[in-house]
């Protein structure tokens, strides 16, 4: 039996354009951890990461679901993905509109023949699957768009390991803000979200950098090939730094290691975690647990 663990993030630079204090963001993340922990214990890692990301999507402060940034044409288009190690199926939605929980749509595609769907046809299909219309645009995001402010990067995610040792990861984003319609975020690619038996990873930051680096899949593959998560993250971030890439990440390994870390220049990464001893942390920068405990 494995020790359960859960780590969540609210993106890098998530305070940008909001009135929220670091303490406010910390309190919201800790409340989500507290709400999701029983689900991890009772229902396992997939259910937990989906529930955590749904709650993060419900928080208007964060750039996913309600509170998503707007694209250049004033529309909110959202992307999300989920993956668990038991069957290794990656499922996601790209640039969907007017739903509350893109991660739930991504999870719904897990059971379908086609696991990733995009844009208007995806929305039409989700309408047939009972996904109710929901306007995710907040007054704050509309005001940002009207003054052509993109805001900082900010995406949400969760990675968990349950007591069976199953690892799952999920990520959701409203994109970078002011992007040209049609741009594809990293979140619903295997660069932004990936899980296997050895580790799970969720990314935030500049989507183009994350995709060019194949970041999540790169870290998980390194762990699968035997590298410890700490070392896999350190090597991957060093390589990213050399290319001046900017991103942050959270990760969980099969041995119970939890990591939140980032490249230089990404801004503050907000992450919080809880493990089998129900201890939680919110840190602005780097967390390697239990190494830092
Ligand atoms: N990481 C979110 C995006 O680039 O869209």
């Amino acid at each position: 039996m494995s020790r359960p663990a859960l780590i969540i993030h609210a993106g890098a630079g998530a305070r940008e354009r909001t009135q929220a204090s670091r303490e406010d963001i910390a309190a919201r993340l800790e409340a989500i951890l507290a709400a999701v922990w029983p689900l991890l214990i009772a229902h396992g890692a997939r259910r937990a990461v989906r529930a955590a990301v749904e709650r993060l999507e419900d928080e208007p402060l964060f750039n996913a679901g309600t509170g998503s940034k707007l694209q250049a044409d004033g529309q909110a288009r959202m992307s999300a993905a989920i993956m668990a190690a038991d069957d290794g199926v990656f499922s996601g939605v790209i640039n969907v509109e007017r739903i509350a929980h893109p991660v739930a749509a991504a999870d719904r595609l897990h059971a379908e023949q086609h696991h990733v769907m995009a844009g208007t046809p995806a929305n039409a299909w989700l309408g047939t699957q009972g996904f109710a219309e929901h306007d995710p645009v907040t007054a704050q995001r509309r005001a940002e768009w009207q003054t052509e402010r993109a805001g900082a990067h900010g995406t949400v995610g969760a990675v968990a390991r349950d007591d069976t040792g199953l690892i799952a990861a999920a990520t959701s984003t409203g994109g970078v803000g002011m992007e040209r319609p049609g741009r594809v975020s990293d979140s619903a690619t295997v660069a932004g979200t990936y899980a296997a038996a050895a580790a799970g990873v969720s990314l935030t930051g500049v989507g183009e950098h994350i995709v060019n680096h194949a970041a999540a899949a790169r870290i998980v593959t390194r762990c699968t090939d035997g590298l410890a998560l700490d070392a896999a993250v350190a090597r991957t971030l060093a390589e990213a730094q050399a290319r001046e890439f900017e991103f942050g990440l959270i990760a969980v390994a099969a041995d119970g290691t939890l990591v939140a870390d980032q490249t230089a220049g990404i801004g503050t990464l907000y992450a919080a975690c809880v493990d089998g001893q129900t201890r939680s942390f919110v840190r602005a920068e780097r967390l390697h647990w239990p190494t830092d405990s």
Side-chain angles (χ1 to χ4, degrees), residues 213 218 222 227 229-241:
H213 210 50
R218 183 185 293 232
R222 285 190 158 140
L227 212 58
L229 179 61
D230 285 318
V233 169
R235 190 181 295 182
T236 300
L237 289 177
E239 291 164 345
Q241 294 276 153

Side-chain angles (χ1 to χ4, degrees), residues 9-92:
H9 73 84
R15 270 198 313 163
E16 189 82 5
R17 314 297 181 200
T18 81
Q19 303 304 310
S21 67
R22 180 175 299 185
E23 290 70 31
D24 189 13
I25 291 173
R28 290 170 200 237
L29 293 185
E30 286 178 346
I32 290 172
L33 285 179
V36 173
W37 181 256
L39 297 177
L40 175 62
I41 303 305
H43 302 290
R46 170 182 281 276
R47 176 82 175 270
V49 296
R50 173 179 158 172
V53 171
E54 285 181 349
R55 284 165 171 78
L56 290 160
E57 290 173 337
D58 285 340
E59 270 293 347
L61 274 185
F62 306 144
N63 176 28
T66 300
S68 287
K69 293 175 185 173
L70 307 190
Q71 300 190 339
D73 63 351
Q75 301 301 311
R77 296 186 181 87
M78 305 167 288
S79 300
I82 187 166
M83 184 172 189
D86 49 357
D87 59 9
V89 171
F90 175 99
S91 57

Side-chain angles (χ1 to χ4, degrees), residues 155 173-176 179 183 185-187 203-208 210:
T155 289
T173 190
V176 291
E179 63 266 67
R183 173 192 182 260
S185 293
D186 60 286
S187 302
L203 272 288
T204 179
V206 182
E208 286 74 8
I210 294 166

